[in-house]
Amino acid sequence: MSIKNNWKLIAAVAIVTVAGAMASVLTAKAAKLTTLNGEDVDSQELRSIIVEGWEKEAWVVEANPAAPESKIEANIVEGRPKNLSFDEHNKNSMGLRYRFVYPGNNVVTLTPPESRKVKRFSGQLDENNEPKFYETAGIELPGRVVAVSVWVLGRGNEYNLEGWIEDWKGDTHIYDFGSLDFIGWRPLTIDIPVSVPQDVESYPQTKTLVFKKFVIRSTPQTSQEEVVFFFDTLKVLTDMFDLYFDGAEMHFDDKDKQDKERMKAYQDQLKGNYEGKSE
């Protein structure tokens, strides 16, 4: 190889080395965003949290069209996916059985029971100038939710599954879990887009979502035989990080403290409910 070619090779290596070093520096700078007091606001605290295990109480189920054009029932049964056998607290699942007399746009809804109502702010004040709240059936999803999953046992019936989720502004988002036309246990997952509002630019930042219901819909291929599904372990992948700052530990009163620490208390309650502990 000539001296001229050697110099070309050395120059090329040098350029690549310098470019790599610059990219590393830029990446390091972009990865850390700090507040004035040095707190990293780009942090995440991702956790997988079970919000419903169907260990004790079945959900409320409805068929449309209703009886006498349909028959539907749900209960808690013993059994779980083998993939979840490591979880000693997971012993039961929710069974669903229904049948429609005629083909068509048949729909089944599964709604959380009265015991799982969520208290939401209405955006208005009452006659005493206090915040006005209302209760809605649903399961509050802690943190900033990234994804939602549920295990379903199918028997090859041609139906599709939807999840209806309400944001803190009262808007409902409908997500497609996909087809239930499979046999055996299978985890079904939906991703929550970043466009769904889950926080505000004040402290505490997080504004939670509420899982309102499952909807099962027939397809043009759906036959009229009796249908059985089982549901287990409704779970969220969620970011539980909340910004810490100098003064975050100060409380105006007990109510102010409870409001700020509500999500941690709710997460502990979910764990206690799932593990069968009393409150």
Side-chain angles (χ1 to χ4, degrees):
M1 183 179 292
S2 65
I3 296 177
K4 184 177 180 181
N5 288 336
N6 281 336
W7 277 110
K8 287 182 179 180
L9 179 61
I10 294 172
V13 172
I15 291 173
V16 172
T17 303
V18 172
M22 291 179 66
S24 299
V25 171
L26 291 174
T27 302
K29 288 183 177 179
K32 187 168 181 63
L33 302 174
T34 58
T35 61
L36 293 177
N37 67 348
E39 191 66 33
D40 185 358
V41 298
D42 199 35
S43 297
Q44 286 187 315
E45 189 179 340
L46 289 177
R47 299 183 189 178
S48 177
I49 300 176
I50 296 172
V51 295
E52 176 61 274
W54 290 291
E55 293 298 312
K56 301 177 182 178
E57 187 176 11
W59 284 16
V60 179
V61 295
E62 295 181 358
N64 186 17
E69 297 180 26
S70 65
K71 182 179 180 181
I72 186 170
E73 58 184 324
N75 60 11
I76 299 299
V77 299
E78 186 176 355
R80 62 187 177 184
K82 288 186 177 180
N83 296 63
L84 304 179
S85 59
F86 65 89
D87 186 353
E88 62 180 8
H89 302 292
N90 184 353
K91 301 182 183 300
N92 301 325
S93 303
M94 179 178 66
L96 169 68
R97 180 169 61 189
Y98 62 89
R99 185 170 193 165
F100 290 99
V101 176
Y102 303 109
N105 296 320
N106 297 322
V107 177
V108 171
T109 60
L110 300 89
T111 307
E114 290 289 315
S115 61
R116 299 302 299 271
K117 280 190 173 182
V118 180
K119 191 176 181 181
R120 306 288 273 179
F121 176 50
S122 66
Q124 301 175 342
L125 300 179
D126 61 18
E127 61 275 8
N128 298 318
N129 208 32
E130 294 290 334
K132 190 175 181 180
F133 294 89
Y134 67 95
E135 288 188 335
T136 181
I139 294 181
E140 188 171 18
L141 307 181
R144 300 176 187 87
V145 180
V146 177
V148 182
S149 69
V150 63
W151 281 84
V152 180
L153 172 57
R155 294 183 177 178
N157 300 106
E158 301 94 341
Y159 285 87
N160 294 324
L161 180 66
E162 298 172 354
W164 290 43
I165 295 176
E166 182 182 277
D167 65 36
W168 67 275
K169 295 182 178 181
D171 296 326
T172 299
H173 307 262
I174 302 174
Y175 299 102
D176 183 16
F177 277 96
S179 173
L180 297 176
D181 187 8
F182 54 82
I183 296 176
W185 281 107
R186 181 177 296 184
L188 303 177
T189 302
I190 56 173
D191 296 322
I192 305 300
V194 294
S195 58
V196 176
Q198 298 191 62
D199 54 22
V200 293
E201 294 183 3
S202 60
Y203 180 83
Q205 292 180 293
T206 302
K207 296 289 186 180
T208 55
L209 302 176
V210 173
F211 194 95
K212 298 288 292 182
K213 59 184 175 181
F214 286 112
V215 175
I216 300 175
R217 296 186 187 276
S218 63
T219 73
Q221 293 76 37
T222 302
S223 56
Q224 273 31 77
E225 76 273 17
E226 184 175 78
V227 178
V228 176
F229 290 113
F230 297 90
F231 291 79
D232 196 16
T233 310
L234 179 62
K235 183 186 299 186
V236 294
L237 177 64
T238 186
D239 182 8
M240 294 295 292
F241 174 80
D242 213 344
L243 180 67
Y244 179 81
F245 56 91
D246 185 13
E249 72 285 354
M250 297 184 64
H251 315 297
F252 183 82
D253 54 17
D254 289 341
K255 180 181 181 301
D256 182 39
K257 180 179 180 180
Q258 292 172 1
D259 289 344
K260 291 192 293 184
E261 297 178 351
R262 189 177 69 86
M263 270 299 97
K264 183 180 184 303
Y266 178 57
Q267 184 182 352
D268 293 341
Q269 176 188 336
L270 285 173
K271 184 177 180 182
N273 290 345
Y274 181 64
E275 295 181 356
K277 300 175 181 177
S278 58
E279 297 183 11

